[in-house]
Coordinates of all heavy atoms in Angstrom, one line a residue:
P1 N 0.8 -1.2 0.0 CA 0.0 0.0 0.0 C 0.9 1.3 0.0 O 1.9 1.3 0.5 CB -0.8 -0.1 1.3 CG -0.1 -1.1 2.1 CD 0.7 -2.0 1.2
P2 N 0.4 2.3 -0.6 CA 1.1 3.6 -0.6 C 1.3 4.2 0.8 O 0.5 3.9 1.7 CB 0.3 4.5 -1.5 CG -1.0 3.9 -1.6 CD -0.9 2.5 -1.3
P3 N 2.3 5.0 1.0 CA 2.5 5.6 2.3 C 1.3 6.4 2.7 O 0.6 7.0 1.8 CB 3.7 6.4 2.2 CG 4.3 6.2 0.8 CD 3.3 5.4 0.1
K4 N 1.0 6.6 4.0 CA -0.2 7.3 4.4 C -0.2 8.7 3.9 O -1.2 9.3 3.6 CB -0.3 7.2 5.9 CG -0.7 5.9 6.4 CD -0.9 5.8 7.9 CE -1.2 4.4 8.3 NZ -2.1 4.2 9.3
S5 N 1.0 9.3 3.9 CA 1.1 10.7 3.4 C 0.7 10.9 2.0 O 0.4 12.0 1.5 CB 2.5 11.3 3.6 OG 3.4 10.5 2.8
F6 N 0.7 9.8 1.2 CA 0.3 9.8 -0.2 C -1.2 9.4 -0.4 O -1.6 9.4 -1.5 CB 1.2 8.9 -1.0 CG 1.1 9.1 -2.5 CD1 1.6 10.2 -3.1 CD2 0.5 8.1 -3.2 CE1 1.4 10.3 -4.5 CE2 0.3 8.2 -4.6 CZ 0.8 9.3 -5.2
Q7 N -1.9 9.0 0.6 CA -3.3 8.7 0.5 C -4.0 9.8 -0.1 O -4.0 11.0 0.4 CB -3.9 8.3 1.8 CG -3.3 7.0 2.4 CD -3.6 5.8 1.6 OE1 -4.7 5.7 1.0 NE2 -2.7 4.8 1.5
P8 N -4.8 9.6 -1.2 CA -5.5 10.7 -1.8 C -6.6 11.2 -0.9 O -7.3 10.4 -0.3 CB -6.0 10.2 -3.1 CG -6.0 8.7 -3.0 CD -4.9 8.4 -1.9
N9 N -6.8 12.5 -0.9 CA -7.9 13.1 -0.3 C -8.4 14.2 -1.3 O -7.8 14.4 -2.3 CB -7.6 13.7 1.1 CG -6.6 14.8 1.1 OD1 -6.6 15.6 0.2 ND2 -5.7 14.8 2.1
G10 N -9.5 14.9 -0.9 CA -10.1 15.8 -1.8 C -9.1 16.9 -2.3 O -9.0 17.2 -3.5
A11 N -8.4 17.4 -1.4 CA -7.4 18.5 -1.7 C -6.3 18.0 -2.6 O -6.0 18.6 -3.6 CB -6.9 19.2 -0.4
S12 N -5.7 16.9 -2.2 CA -4.5 16.4 -2.9 C -5.0 15.9 -4.3 O -4.2 16.0 -5.3 CB -3.8 15.3 -2.2 OG -4.6 14.2 -2.0
E13 N -6.2 15.4 -4.4 CA -6.7 15.0 -5.7 C -6.8 16.2 -6.7 O -6.5 16.1 -7.8 CB -8.0 14.2 -5.6 CG -7.8 12.8 -5.1 CD -9.1 12.1 -5.0 OE1 -10.1 12.4 -5.7 OE2 -9.2 11.2 -4.1
E14 N -7.3 17.3 -6.1 CA -7.5 18.5 -6.9 C -6.1 19.0 -7.4 O -5.9 19.4 -8.5 CB -8.2 19.5 -6.1 CG -8.5 20.8 -6.9 CD -9.4 20.5 -8.2 OE1 -10.2 19.5 -8.2 OE2 -9.2 21.2 -9.2
V15 N -5.1 19.0 -6.5 CA -3.8 19.4 -6.8 C -3.2 18.5 -7.9 O -2.6 19.0 -8.9 CB -2.8 19.3 -5.6 CG1 -1.4 19.5 -5.9 CG2 -3.3 20.4 -4.5
L16 N -3.4 17.2 -7.8 CA -2.9 16.3 -8.9 C -3.6 16.6 -10.2 O -3.0 16.6 -11.3 CB -3.2 14.9 -8.5 CG -2.2 14.4 -7.3 CD1 -2.6 12.9 -6.9 CD2 -0.8 14.4 -7.8
R17 N -4.9 16.9 -10.2 CA -5.7 17.2 -11.4 C -5.1 18.4 -12.0 O -4.9 18.5 -13.3 CB -7.2 17.4 -11.1 CG -7.9 16.1 -10.9 CD -9.4 16.3 -10.9 NE -10.1 15.1 -10.5 CZ -10.5 14.8 -9.3 NH1 -10.4 15.7 -8.3 NH2 -11.1 13.6 -9.0
C18 N -4.8 19.4 -11.2 CA -4.2 20.7 -11.7 C -2.8 20.4 -12.3 O -2.5 21.0 -13.4 CB -4.1 21.7 -10.6 SG -5.7 22.4 -10.1
E19 N -2.0 19.6 -11.7 CA -0.7 19.3 -12.2 C -0.8 18.6 -13.5 O 0.0 18.8 -14.4 CB 0.1 18.5 -11.2 CG 0.5 19.3 -10.0 CD 1.3 18.5 -8.9 OE1 1.5 17.3 -9.1 OE2 1.7 19.1 -7.9
I20 N -1.7 17.6 -13.6 CA -1.9 16.9 -14.8 C -2.3 17.8 -15.9 O -1.8 17.7 -17.1 CB -3.0 15.8 -14.6 CG1 -2.4 14.7 -13.7 CG2 -3.4 15.2 -16.0 CD1 -3.4 13.6 -13.3
E21 N -3.2 18.7 -15.6 CA -3.7 19.7 -16.7 C -2.5 20.6 -17.1 O -2.4 20.9 -18.3 CB -4.8 20.5 -16.1 CG -5.5 21.4 -17.2 CD -6.0 20.7 -18.4 OE1 -6.5 19.5 -18.2 OE2 -5.9 21.2 -19.5
E22 N -1.7 21.0 -16.2 CA -0.5 21.9 -16.5 C 0.4 21.1 -17.4 O 1.0 21.6 -18.4 CB 0.2 22.3 -15.3 CG -0.5 23.4 -14.5 CD 0.2 23.7 -13.2 OE1 1.4 23.3 -13.0 OE2 -0.5 24.4 -12.3
L23 N 0.7 19.8 -17.1 CA 1.5 19.0 -17.9 C 1.0 18.8 -19.3 O 1.7 18.8 -20.3 CB 1.8 17.6 -17.2 CG 2.7 17.7 -16.0 CD1 2.7 16.3 -15.3 CD2 4.1 18.1 -16.4
K24 N -0.3 18.6 -19.4 CA -1.0 18.5 -20.7 C -0.8 19.7 -21.5 O -0.5 19.7 -22.8 CB -2.5 18.1 -20.6 CG -2.8 16.7 -20.1 CD -4.3 16.5 -20.0 CE -4.6 15.1 -19.5 NZ -6.0 14.9 -19.4
Q25 N -0.9 20.9 -20.9 CA -0.7 22.2 -21.6 C 0.7 22.3 -22.1 O 0.9 22.8 -23.2 CB -1.1 23.3 -20.7 CG -2.6 23.4 -20.4 CD -3.5 23.5 -21.6 OE1 -3.1 24.3 -22.5 NE2 -4.6 22.8 -21.7
K26 N 1.6 21.9 -21.2 CA 3.1 22.0 -21.6 C 3.3 21.1 -22.8 O 4.1 21.4 -23.7 CB 4.0 21.6 -20.4 CG 4.0 22.7 -19.4 CD 5.0 22.3 -18.2 CE 5.0 23.4 -17.1 NZ 5.9 23.0 -16.0
D27 N 2.8 19.9 -22.7 CA 2.9 18.9 -23.8 C 2.4 19.5 -25.1 O 3.0 19.4 -26.2 CB 2.2 17.6 -23.5 CG 2.4 16.5 -24.5 OD1 3.6 16.3 -24.9 OD2 1.4 15.9 -24.9
L28 N 1.2 20.1 -25.1 CA 0.6 20.7 -26.2 C 1.5 21.8 -26.8 O 1.7 22.0 -28.0 CB -0.8 21.2 -25.9 CG -1.5 21.9 -27.0 CD1 -1.8 21.0 -28.2 CD2 -2.9 22.5 -26.5
A29 N 2.0 22.7 -25.8 CA 2.9 23.8 -26.3 C 4.1 23.3 -26.9 O 4.6 23.8 -28.0 CB 3.2 24.7 -25.1
L30 N 4.7 22.2 -26.4 CA 5.9 21.6 -27.0 C 5.6 21.0 -28.4 O 6.4 21.2 -29.3 CB 6.5 20.6 -26.1 CG 7.2 21.1 -24.8 CD1 7.6 20.0 -23.9 CD2 8.4 22.0 -25.2
D31 N 4.5 20.4 -28.5 CA 4.1 19.8 -29.8 C 3.9 20.9 -30.8 O 4.3 20.8 -32.0 CB 2.8 19.0 -29.7 CG 2.9 17.7 -29.0 OD1 4.1 17.2 -28.9 OD2 1.9 17.1 -28.6
Q32 N 3.3 22.1 -30.4 CA 3.2 23.2 -31.3 C 4.5 23.8 -31.7 O 4.7 24.2 -32.8 CB 2.3 24.3 -30.6 CG 0.8 23.8 -30.5 CD 0.0 24.8 -29.7 OE1 0.5 25.6 -28.9 NE2 -1.3 24.6 -29.8
E33 N 5.4 23.9 -30.7 CA 6.8 24.4 -31.0 C 7.5 23.5 -32.0 O 8.1 24.0 -32.9 CB 7.6 24.5 -29.7 CG 8.9 25.3 -29.9 CD 9.6 25.5 -28.6 OE1 9.0 25.4 -27.5 OE2 10.8 25.8 -28.6
I34 N 7.4 22.2 -31.8 CA 8.0 21.2 -32.7 C 7.4 21.4 -34.1 O 8.1 21.4 -35.1 CB 7.9 19.8 -32.2 CG1 8.8 19.6 -31.0 CG2 8.2 18.8 -33.3 CD1 8.5 18.3 -30.2
A35 N 6.1 21.5 -34.2 CA 5.4 21.7 -35.5 C 5.9 22.9 -36.2 O 6.1 22.9 -37.4 CB 3.9 21.7 -35.3
Q36 N 6.1 24.0 -35.4 CA 6.5 25.3 -36.0 C 8.0 25.1 -36.5 O 8.3 25.5 -37.6 CB 6.5 26.4 -35.0 CG 7.0 27.7 -35.5 CD 7.0 28.8 -34.5 OE1 6.4 28.7 -33.4 NE2 7.5 30.0 -34.8
L37 N 8.8 24.5 -35.8 CA 10.2 24.3 -36.2 C 10.3 23.4 -37.5 O 11.0 23.7 -38.4 CB 11.0 23.6 -35.1 CG 11.3 24.6 -33.9 CD1 11.9 23.8 -32.8 CD2 12.3 25.7 -34.3
L38 N 9.4 22.4 -37.5 CA 9.4 21.5 -38.7 C 8.9 22.3 -39.9 O 9.4 22.1 -41.0 CB 8.5 20.3 -38.4 CG 9.0 19.3 -37.4 CD1 8.0 18.2 -37.1 CD2 10.3 18.7 -37.9
S39 N 7.9 23.2 -39.7 CA 7.4 24.0 -40.8 C 8.4 25.0 -41.3 O 8.3 25.4 -42.4 CB 6.1 24.7 -40.4 OG 6.3 25.8 -39.5
E40 N 9.3 25.3 -40.4 CA 10.4 26.3 -40.8 C 11.6 25.5 -41.5 O 12.6 26.2 -41.8 CB 10.9 27.0 -39.6 CG 9.9 28.0 -39.0 CD 10.3 28.6 -37.7 OE1 11.5 28.4 -37.3 OE2 9.5 29.4 -37.1
G41 N 11.4 24.2 -41.7 CA 12.4 23.5 -42.4 C 13.4 22.7 -41.6 O 14.3 22.1 -42.2
Y42 N 13.2 22.7 -40.3 CA 14.1 21.9 -39.5 C 13.7 20.5 -39.5 O 12.5 20.2 -39.6 CB 14.1 22.4 -38.0 CG 14.7 23.8 -37.8 CD1 13.9 24.9 -37.8 CD2 16.1 23.9 -37.7 CE1 14.4 26.2 -37.6 CE2 16.6 25.2 -37.5 CZ 15.8 26.3 -37.5 OH 16.3 27.5 -37.3
S43 N 14.6 19.5 -39.4 CA 14.2 18.1 -39.3 C 14.4 17.6 -37.9 O 15.2 18.2 -37.1 CB 15.1 17.3 -40.3 OG 16.5 17.3 -39.8
L44 N 13.7 16.6 -37.6 CA 13.9 16.0 -36.2 C 15.3 15.6 -36.0 O 15.8 15.8 -34.9 CB 12.9 14.8 -36.1 CG 11.4 15.2 -36.0 CD1 10.6 13.9 -35.8 CD2 11.2 16.1 -34.8
E45 N 16.0 15.0 -37.0 CA 17.4 14.6 -36.8 C 18.2 15.8 -36.5 O 19.1 15.8 -35.6 CB 17.9 13.9 -38.1 CG 17.2 12.6 -38.3 CD 15.8 12.7 -39.0 OE1 15.5 13.8 -39.6 OE2 15.1 11.8 -39.0
E46 N 18.0 16.9 -37.2 CA 18.8 18.2 -36.9 C 18.5 18.7 -35.5 O 19.4 19.1 -34.8 CB 18.4 19.2 -38.0 CG 19.2 20.5 -37.9 CD 18.8 21.5 -39.0 OE1 17.8 21.3 -39.7 OE2 19.6 22.5 -39.1
L47 N 17.3 18.7 -35.1 CA 16.9 19.1 -33.8 C 17.6 18.2 -32.7 O 18.1 18.7 -31.7 CB 15.4 19.2 -33.6 CG 14.7 20.2 -34.4 CD1 13.2 20.1 -34.3 CD2 15.1 21.6 -34.1
D48 N 17.5 16.9 -33.0 CA 18.2 16.0 -32.0 C 19.7 16.2 -31.9 O 20.3 16.2 -30.9 CB 17.9 14.5 -32.5 CG 16.5 14.0 -32.2 OD1 15.8 14.7 -31.3 OD2 16.1 13.1 -32.8
K49 N 20.3 16.5 -33.1 CA 21.7 16.8 -33.1 C 22.0 18.1 -32.3 O 23.0 18.1 -31.5 CB 22.2 17.0 -34.6 CG 23.7 17.3 -34.7 CD 24.5 16.2 -34.2 CE 26.0 16.5 -34.5 NZ 26.9 15.5 -34.0
H50 N 21.2 19.1 -32.5 CA 21.4 20.4 -31.7 C 21.3 20.1 -30.2 O 22.0 20.7 -29.4 CB 20.4 21.5 -32.2 CG 20.8 22.1 -33.5 ND1 21.8 23.0 -33.6 CD2 20.3 21.9 -34.7 CE1 21.9 23.4 -34.9 NE2 21.0 22.7 -35.6
I51 N 20.3 19.4 -29.8 CA 20.1 19.0 -28.4 C 21.3 18.3 -27.9 O 21.8 18.6 -26.8 CB 18.7 18.3 -28.2 CG1 17.5 19.2 -28.5 CG2 18.7 17.7 -26.8 CD1 16.2 18.4 -28.6
S52 N 21.8 17.3 -28.7 CA 22.9 16.6 -28.2 C 24.1 17.5 -28.1 O 24.9 17.3 -27.1 CB 23.2 15.5 -29.3 OG 24.4 14.8 -29.0
L53 N 24.3 18.4 -29.0 CA 25.5 19.3 -28.9 C 25.3 20.2 -27.7 O 26.3 20.6 -27.1 CB 25.6 20.1 -30.2 CG 26.1 19.3 -31.4 CD1 26.0 20.2 -32.7 CD2 27.5 18.8 -31.2
L54 N 24.1 20.7 -27.4 CA 23.9 21.5 -26.3 C 24.2 20.8 -25.0 O 24.8 21.4 -24.1 CB 22.4 22.1 -26.2 CG 22.1 23.2 -27.2 CD1 20.6 23.5 -27.2 CD2 22.9 24.4 -26.8
H55 N 23.8 19.5 -24.9 CA 24.1 18.7 -23.7 C 25.7 18.6 -23.6 O 26.2 18.7 -22.5 CB 23.5 17.3 -23.8 CG 22.1 17.3 -23.5 ND1 21.5 17.6 -22.3 CD2 21.0 16.9 -24.3 CE1 20.2 17.5 -22.3 NE2 19.9 17.1 -23.5
E56 N 26.3 18.3 -24.7 CA 27.8 18.2 -24.6 C 28.4 19.5 -24.2 O 29.4 19.5 -23.4 CB 28.3 17.8 -26.0 CG 29.8 17.5 -26.0 CD 30.3 17.0 -27.4 OE1 29.5 16.7 -28.3 OE2 31.5 17.0 -27.6
Y57 N 28.0 20.6 -24.8 CA 28.5 21.9 -24.4 C 28.3 22.2 -22.9 O 29.2 22.6 -22.2 CB 27.8 23.0 -25.2 CG 28.0 24.4 -24.7 CD1 29.2 25.1 -25.0 CD2 27.1 25.0 -23.8 CE1 29.4 26.4 -24.5 CE2 27.3 26.3 -23.3 CZ 28.5 27.0 -23.6 OH 28.7 28.2 -23.1
N58 N 27.1 21.9 -22.4 CA 26.8 22.1 -21.0 C 27.7 21.2 -20.1 O 28.2 21.7 -19.0 CB 25.4 21.9 -20.6 CG 24.5 23.0 -21.1 OD1 24.9 24.2 -21.2 ND2 23.3 22.7 -21.5
E59 N 28.0 20.0 -20.5 CA 28.9 19.1 -19.7 C 30.3 19.7 -19.7 O 31.0 19.7 -18.6 CB 28.9 17.7 -20.3 CG 27.6 17.0 -20.0 CD 27.5 15.7 -20.7 OE1 28.5 15.2 -21.4 OE2 26.4 15.0 -20.6
I60 N 30.8 20.2 -20.8 CA 32.1 20.7 -20.9 C 32.2 22.0 -20.1 O 33.2 22.3 -19.3 CB 32.5 21.0 -22.4 CG1 32.7 19.7 -23.1 CG2 33.8 21.8 -22.5 CD1 32.8 19.8 -24.6
K61 N 31.2 22.8 -20.2 CA 31.1 24.1 -19.4 C 31.1 23.8 -17.9 O 31.8 24.5 -17.1 CB 29.9 24.9 -19.8 CG 29.8 26.3 -19.1 CD 28.6 27.0 -19.5 CE 28.5 28.3 -18.8 NZ 27.3 29.1 -19.1
D62 N 30.3 22.8 -17.5 CA 30.3 22.4 -16.1 C 31.7 22.0 -15.6 O 32.1 22.3 -14.5 CB 29.3 21.3 -15.8 CG 27.8 21.8 -16.0 OD1 27.6 23.0 -16.0 OD2 27.0 20.9 -16.1
A63 N 32.4 21.2 -16.4 CA 33.7 20.7 -16.1 C 34.7 21.9 -15.9 O 35.5 22.0 -15.0 CB 34.3 19.8 -17.1
G64 N 34.6 22.9 -16.9 CA 35.4 24.1 -16.8 C 35.1 24.9 -15.6 O 36.0 25.4 -14.9
Q65 N 33.8 25.0 -15.2 CA 33.4 25.8 -14.0 C 34.0 25.1 -12.8 O 34.5 25.7 -11.8 CB 31.9 25.9 -13.9 CG 31.3 26.8 -14.9 CD 31.7 28.2 -14.7 OE1 31.9 28.7 -13.6 NE2 31.8 29.0 -15.8
M66 N 34.0 23.8 -12.8 CA 34.5 23.0 -11.6 C 36.0 23.2 -11.5 O 36.5 23.5 -10.4 CB 34.2 21.5 -11.8 CG 34.6 20.7 -10.6 SD 34.3 18.9 -10.9 CE 35.5 18.5 -12.2
L67 N 36.7 23.2 -12.6 CA 38.2 23.4 -12.6 C 38.5 24.9 -12.1 O 39.4 25.1 -11.4 CB 38.8 23.2 -14.0 CG 38.8 21.7 -14.4 CD1 39.3 21.6 -15.9 CD2 39.7 20.9 -13.5
L68 N 37.7 25.8 -12.6 CA 37.9 27.2 -12.2 C 37.7 27.3 -10.7 O 38.4 28.0 -10.0 CB 37.0 28.2 -12.9 CG 37.5 28.7 -14.3 CD1 36.4 29.6 -14.9 CD2 38.8 29.5 -14.2
G69 N 36.7 26.7 -10.2 CA 36.4 26.7 -8.8 C 37.5 26.1 -8.0 O 37.9 26.7 -6.9
K70 N 38.1 25.0 -8.4 CA 39.2 24.4 -7.7 C 40.4 25.2 -7.7 O 41.1 25.4 -6.7 CB 39.5 23.0 -8.3 CG 38.4 22.0 -7.9 CD 38.8 20.6 -8.5 CE 37.6 19.6 -8.2 NZ 37.7 19.0 -6.9
L71 N 40.7 25.8 -8.9 CA 41.8 26.7 -9.0 C 41.7 28.0 -8.1 O 42.6 28.4 -7.5 CB 42.0 27.1 -10.5 CG 43.2 28.0 -10.8 CD1 44.5 27.3 -10.4 CD2 43.2 28.4 -12.3
A72 N 40.5 28.5 -8.1 CA 40.2 29.6 -7.2 C 40.4 29.3 -5.7 O 41.0 30.1 -5.0 CB 38.8 30.1 -7.4
V73 N 40.0 28.1 -5.3 CA 40.3 27.7 -3.9 C 41.8 27.6 -3.7 O 42.3 28.1 -2.6 CB 39.6 26.3 -3.6 CG1 40.0 25.7 -2.3 CG2 38.1 26.5 -3.6
I74 N 42.5 27.0 -4.6 CA 44.0 26.8 -4.4 C 44.6 28.2 -4.3 O 45.5 28.4 -3.5 CB 44.6 26.0 -5.6 CG1 44.1 24.6 -5.5 CG2 46.1 26.1 -5.6 CD1 44.4 23.7 -6.8
R75 N 44.2 29.1 -5.2 CA 44.8 30.5 -5.2 C 44.2 31.4 -4.1 O 44.8 32.5 -3.8 CB 44.6 31.1 -6.5 CG 45.4 30.5 -7.6 CD 45.3 31.3 -8.9 NE 46.0 30.7 -10.0 CZ 46.1 31.2 -11.2 NH1 45.5 32.3 -11.4 NH2 46.7 30.6 -12.1
G76 N 43.1 31.0 -3.5 CA 42.5 31.8 -2.4 C 41.8 33.0 -3.0 O 41.8 34.1 -2.4
V77 N 41.3 32.9 -4.2 CA 40.5 34.0 -4.8 C 39.1 33.5 -5.2 O 38.8 32.3 -5.0 CB 41.3 34.5 -6.1 CG1 42.6 35.1 -5.7 CG2 41.4 33.4 -7.1
T78 N 38.3 34.4 -5.7 CA 37.0 34.0 -6.2 C 37.1 33.6 -7.7 O 38.1 34.0 -8.4 CB 36.0 35.1 -6.1 OG1 36.4 36.2 -7.0 CG2 35.9 35.6 -4.7
T79 N 36.2 32.8 -8.1 CA 36.2 32.4 -9.5 C 36.1 33.6 -10.4 O 36.6 33.7 -11.5 CB 35.1 31.4 -9.9 OG1 33.9 31.9 -9.5 CG2 35.4 30.1 -9.2
K80 N 35.3 34.6 -9.9 CA 35.1 35.9 -10.7 C 36.4 36.5 -10.9 O 36.6 37.1 -12.0 CB 34.2 36.8 -9.9 CG 33.8 38.1 -10.6 CD 32.8 38.9 -9.7 CE 32.5 40.2 -10.4 NZ 31.5 40.9 -9.6
Q81 N 37.3 36.5 -10.0 CA 38.7 37.1 -10.2 C 39.5 36.4 -11.2 O 40.4 37.0 -11.8 CB 39.4 37.1 -8.8 CG 38.8 38.1 -7.8 CD 39.3 38.0 -6.5 OE1 39.4 36.9 -5.9 NE2 39.8 39.1 -5.9
L82 N 39.2 35.1 -11.5 CA 40.0 34.4 -12.5 C 39.5 34.6 -13.9 O 40.2 34.4 -14.9 CB 39.9 32.9 -12.2 CG 40.5 32.4 -10.9 CD1 40.2 30.9 -10.8 CD2 42.0 32.6 -11.0
Y83 N 38.3 35.1 -14.1 CA 37.7 35.3 -15.4 C 38.6 36.2 -16.4 O 38.9 35.8 -17.5 CB 36.3 35.8 -15.4 CG 35.3 34.7 -15.2 CD1 35.3 33.9 -14.1 CD2 34.3 34.5 -16.2 CE1 34.3 32.9 -14.0 CE2 33.3 33.5 -16.1 CZ 33.4 32.7 -15.0 OH 32.4 31.7 -14.9
P84 N 39.0 37.3 -15.9 CA 39.9 38.1 -16.8 C 41.2 37.4 -17.2 O 41.6 37.6 -18.4 CB 40.2 39.4 -16.0 CG 39.2 39.4 -14.9 CD 38.8 38.0 -14.7
E85 N 41.7 36.7 -16.3 CA 43.0 36.0 -16.6 C 42.9 35.0 -17.8 O 43.8 34.8 -18.5 CB 43.5 35.2 -15.4 CG 44.8 34.5 -15.5 CD 45.2 33.9 -14.2 OE1 44.8 34.3 -13.1 OE2 46.1 32.9 -14.3
Y86 N 41.7 34.4 -17.9 CA 41.4 33.5 -19.0 C 40.5 34.0 -20.1 O 39.9 33.3 -20.9 CB 40.8 32.2 -18.4 CG 41.8 31.5 -17.5 CD1 41.7 31.7 -16.1 CD2 42.8 30.7 -18.0 CE1 42.7 31.1 -15.3 CE2 43.7 30.1 -17.2 CZ 43.6 30.3 -15.8 OH 44.6 29.7 -15.0
D87 N 40.4 35.4 -20.1 CA 39.6 36.1 -21.2 C 38.2 35.6 -21.2 O 37.6 35.3 -22.3 CB 40.2 36.0 -22.6 CG 41.6 36.6 -22.6 OD1 41.7 37.7 -22.0 OD2 42.5 36.1 -23.3
L88 N 37.6 35.4 -20.0 CA 36.2 34.9 -19.9 C 35.3 36.1 -19.5 O 35.7 36.9 -18.8 CB 36.1 33.8 -18.9 CG 36.9 32.5 -19.2 CD1 36.8 31.6 -18.0 CD2 36.3 31.8 -20.4
E89 N 34.1 36.1 -20.1 CA 33.1 37.0 -19.6 C 32.3 36.4 -18.5 O 32.2 35.2 -18.4 CB 32.2 37.4 -20.8 CG 32.9 38.0 -22.0 CD 33.4 39.4 -21.7 OE1 32.7 40.1 -20.9 OE2 34.4 39.8 -22.3
L90 N 31.8 37.2 -17.6 CA 31.0 36.7 -16.5 C 29.8 36.0 -17.0 O 29.2 35.1 -16.4 CB 30.5 37.8 -15.6 CG 31.7 38.4 -14.7 CD1 31.2 39.5 -13.9 CD2 32.3 37.3 -13.8
S91 N 29.3 36.3 -18.2 CA 28.1 35.6 -18.8 C 28.5 34.3 -19.4 O 27.6 33.5 -19.8 CB 27.5 36.5 -19.9 OG 28.4 36.8 -20.9
D92 N 29.8 33.9 -19.5 CA 30.3 32.7 -20.1 C 29.9 31.5 -19.2 O 29.9 31.5 -18.1 CB 31.8 32.7 -20.4 CG 32.1 33.5 -21.6 OD1 31.3 33.8 -22.4 OD2 33.3 33.9 -21.7

């Protein structure tokens, strides 16, 4: 049986219904966005490739941020102070 804190009651059922409706709306919005991109000439394969490249970029950026953080600790400075040394913008 589910935990007692998860037992449905009137209030939690209504919250769940609202969350389900919000997710349905998000799903519809994403479907519409995909349809628009496809109508603009993008292919699903191309979109998948862009998403894959964005994931790879974010992983590399996270690794770089981690290294900057460790270097900042070693030097006893903030990561912000290291940005000019490596020609980085704060928005990078």
Side-chain angles (χ1 to χ4, degrees):
K4 291 185 184 216
S5 63
F6 189 73
Q7 293 294 328
N9 61 38
S12 64
E13 285 182 27
E14 185 59 31
V15 168
L16 289 175
R17 282 190 190 100
C18 289
E19 288 178 1
I20 290 170
E21 188 57 36
E22 287 175 15
L23 289 172
K24 286 180 180 178
Q25 292 301 318
K26 287 180 183 180
D27 185 48
L28 179 61
L30 288 172
D31 286 344
Q32 290 172 343
E33 188 175 342
I34 289 169
Q36 179 181 352
L37 290 169
L38 292 173
S39 73
E40 292 173 4
Y42 293 97
S43 69
L44 288 177
E45 294 80 19
E46 185 178 10
L47 294 173
D48 285 341
K49 179 67 174 172
H50 283 285
I51 290 169
S52 175
L53 289 172
L54 282 171
H55 284 297
E56 184 177 347
Y57 167 80
N58 285 329
E59 289 172 4
I60 292 168
K61 183 178 176 184
D62 289 345
Q65 290 293 328
M66 184 181 68
L67 290 173
L68 274 177
K70 289 182 184 278
L71 183 58
V73 168
I74 291 169
R75 292 188 182 178
V77 298
T78 65
T79 54
K80 183 177 178 179
Q81 291 170 308
L82 293 176
Y83 273 61
E85 184 176 338
Y86 295 97
D87 296 321
L88 298 171
E89 299 292 327
L90 288 177
S91 60
D92 285 343

